Amino acid sequence: MSKTVADVQVLEFRLEDRNYCIDIAHVDEIVDKGELTPLPNADPRIEGVMDLRGATTTIVNPKRVLDLEETETGERVVVLETDDDRTIGWLIDEVEQVVSLDDETVDESVEGDSVKGIVRQDDGFVVWVKPEEING
């Protein structure tokens, strides 16, 4: 049986003044940002690494991938499950909520490099992002 949009729950989060979401199946946990160690000559999207219970976690700034202005970096980290052995976290400004998607509110026709679709809500749009494109 294939998975439909109505079977998906997403984590909605804020970057700057915009809302984004990611399929909750990719999310391992949400933690406060710890001390980051910068990596010389790293990809510009990488803020550095931090220790997360003994695991070296690469911290990615999705604002750089999504071409957002960076007024400041977020204080929360969404730790993602990946298909390889890497542990990756995204710096976000704020966690909003977990919501179940509805076929009528999701528009996947606007899919792009890092965008899976748009979720329509009463107060605007939420951009549904692809984690594999943000992670690099």
Side-chain angles (χ1 to χ4, degrees):
M1 181 167 85
S2 67
K3 191 173 179 180
T4 67
V5 169
D7 296 327
V8 176
Q9 286 190 313
V10 294
L11 172 69
E12 189 178 319
F13 58 93
R14 183 169 289 284
L15 297 172
E16 299 298 334
D17 60 348
R18 297 182 180 121
N19 283 0
Y20 295 85
C21 66
I22 183 174
D23 188 330
I24 197 76
H26 297 289
V27 177
D28 189 37
E29 64 181 316
I30 300 164
V31 299
D32 290 328
K33 179 177 87 173
E35 184 177 331
L36 298 183
T37 302
L39 297 174
N41 303 316
D43 184 303
R45 75 181 81 201
I46 297 176
E47 287 285 325
V49 294
M50 70 180 248
D51 178 58
L52 186 59
R53 286 183 294 292
T56 301
T57 304
T58 302
I59 304 301
V60 172
N61 188 341
K63 293 178 187 179
R64 293 188 180 150
V65 179
L66 299 169
D67 291 327
L68 297 175
E69 281 194 34
E70 294 179 58
T71 54
E72 58 186 66
T73 59
E75 292 300 315
R76 304 284 285 165
V77 174
V78 176
V79 181
L80 304 175
E81 294 180 353
T82 62
D83 292 335
D84 50 24
D85 290 333
R86 300 182 301 164
T87 304
I88 293 183
W90 289 1
L91 271 180
I92 64 166
D93 295 330
E94 191 170 325
V95 173
E96 295 290 330
Q97 61 187 340
V98 173
V99 294
S100 295
L101 295 183
D102 180 313
D103 287 324
E104 285 81 46
T105 61
V106 175
D107 184 351
E108 292 181 280
S109 70
V110 295
E111 181 178 9
D113 288 343
S114 57
V115 175
K116 182 169 178 66
I118 296 291
V119 180
R120 291 182 301 278
Q121 293 184 334
D122 292 338
D123 56 349
F125 294 111
V126 177
V127 179
W128 188 2
V129 295
K130 298 176 185 175
E132 62 276 4
E133 298 298 325
I134 304 292
N135 294 343

